[in-house]
Amino acid sequence: MIPHDLLTKYDLPAPEAALAIEDAISGILSRAFNKDIMVNVGEELEVVALDDRRIDPATLSRQLKRQIRYQIERELEKRQSLREQDYLRSLRGQIIFGDVRKVSTNGDLTIALEVEDRFRSLILTGICPARQVPPHERGCLHIGAKKLFLITSVLPVMEKDKAKVLIRLSRTSKTLPEILLREKAGEPSIRCRRRIAGAFSEIETSQRISKESIQSVSDELGERIIVRVVASQKEV
């Protein structure tokens, strides 16, 4: 009754997995028997109707068992998606490498992303709308191309009755050159004041930035990086 292969697949904490299994089995059996049925996952699976009649799981039909397995996977999937969403929400505003997997007829990009979640890697799907792709890259990014993207939002979605996490991405945001330069130069004062994606980005900083850092970001984005050193507010 308890599909151990699914427990391994979704790798949830034991208490959370037990709740998912209990909810799934209770929901299916309550509808099948038209009465409220409580389920407890312990050393043995306990199934009890509210009229105190115990139900032996071994006597359930194959069809009910198939329905139960299907629902257990949906519940485990939903809970893992919510956990991933909580974790991925912290990545909003960060930059990540992605592989172009699909280009739609309207220019939207489907991106495969790999992020580290504690002790494992998550392969997730990101969408970069055509309007978030710089004009000079539209129609030029082929399947398999690797690019840096800014994570702009993390959304829970249902796709074919499956819970998933959708990450929305951008390559036109002025935050992208700002963060890239901060990472390259190690300078927190960097701000992007203006950007026309594919043409130029105007950067202000209180400290000089190496030409190598500037050129690296320029090459990645395919645009000029104009840097102006200004006095910090503390110095004014």
Side-chain angles (χ1 to χ4, degrees):
M1 179 69 69
I2 299 177
H4 296 286
D5 60 320
L6 294 183
L7 295 179
T8 302
K9 176 180 177 181
Y10 289 100
D11 193 28
L12 289 168
E16 194 168 349
L19 284 174
I21 292 170
E22 289 171 356
D23 287 349
I25 298 176
S26 175
I28 292 295
L29 294 184
S30 293
R31 288 192 293 272
F33 290 93
N34 197 27
K35 63 177 65 179
D36 289 332
I37 292 179
M38 305 299 293
V39 176
N40 181 55
V41 175
E43 292 185 5
E44 294 185 357
L45 182 65
E46 185 179 15
V47 182
V48 181
L50 288 190
D51 58 9
D52 290 332
R53 183 169 68 91
R54 291 183 178 273
I55 298 172
D56 184 357
T59 64
L60 299 177
S61 68
R62 290 184 180 180
Q63 182 179 358
L64 268 180
K65 289 179 180 178
R66 284 196 298 269
Q67 292 177 14
I68 287 171
R69 178 185 171 86
Y70 175 84
Q71 192 59 34
I72 286 175
E73 181 160 19
R74 297 290 77 78
E75 288 292 336
L76 292 172
E77 189 176 60
K78 180 172 67 176
R79 282 167 170 77
Q80 180 164 302
S81 177
L82 291 173
R83 285 174 60 84
E84 290 171 356
Q85 183 190 350
D86 289 340
Y87 166 69
L88 291 170
R89 191 178 287 114
S90 67
L91 298 179
R92 185 179 302 156
Q94 296 189 34
I95 292 172
I96 187 170
F97 259 115
D99 296 344
V100 178
R101 291 295 175 86
K102 182 180 177 182
V103 181
S104 70
T105 54
N106 66 356
D108 292 350
L109 304 179
T110 299
I111 309 296
L113 306 166
E114 182 174 352
V115 298
E116 296 298 323
D117 178 15
R118 303 171 187 86
F119 304 107
R120 64 193 179 113
S121 293
L122 300 175
I123 306 297
L124 298 167
T125 298
I127 298 295
C128 186
R131 66 181 181 278
Q132 297 296 331
V133 179
H136 70 289
E137 292 181 348
R138 294 173 190 171
C140 300
L141 294 180
H142 56 82
I143 294 174
K146 296 180 183 294
K147 289 291 182 181
L148 286 168
F149 296 87
L150 175 72
I151 298 175
T152 58
S153 65
V154 178
L155 305 169
V157 296
M158 293 296 294
E159 185 176 303
K160 297 180 180 179
D161 294 330
K162 291 187 177 182
K164 293 187 177 182
V165 173
L166 174 63
I167 300 176
R168 293 200 176 276
L169 308 165
S170 173
R171 275 185 61 81
T172 61
S173 170
K174 69 179 185 180
T175 306
L176 186 56
E178 183 176 292
I179 295 178
L180 284 175
L181 271 176
R182 284 181 194 168
E183 292 179 350
K184 295 286 184 182
E187 175 51 51
S189 69
I190 291 171
R191 295 289 184 274
C192 182
R193 297 304 183 188
R194 184 182 179 213
R195 182 187 185 202
I196 298 179
F200 63 85
S201 287
E202 294 180 350
I203 302 293
E204 290 185 357
T205 174
S206 62
Q207 301 294 328
R208 292 191 178 278
I209 303 171
S210 70
K211 291 182 179 179
E212 291 79 11
S213 296
I214 296 171
Q215 189 61 51
S216 176
V217 175
S218 176
D219 291 343
E220 168 62 32
L221 301 179
E223 64 193 41
R224 290 177 61 209
I225 304 297
I226 304 167
V227 178
R228 185 161 63 102
V229 180
V230 298
S232 67
Q233 290 183 350
K234 291 183 180 179
E235 295 173 345
V236 174

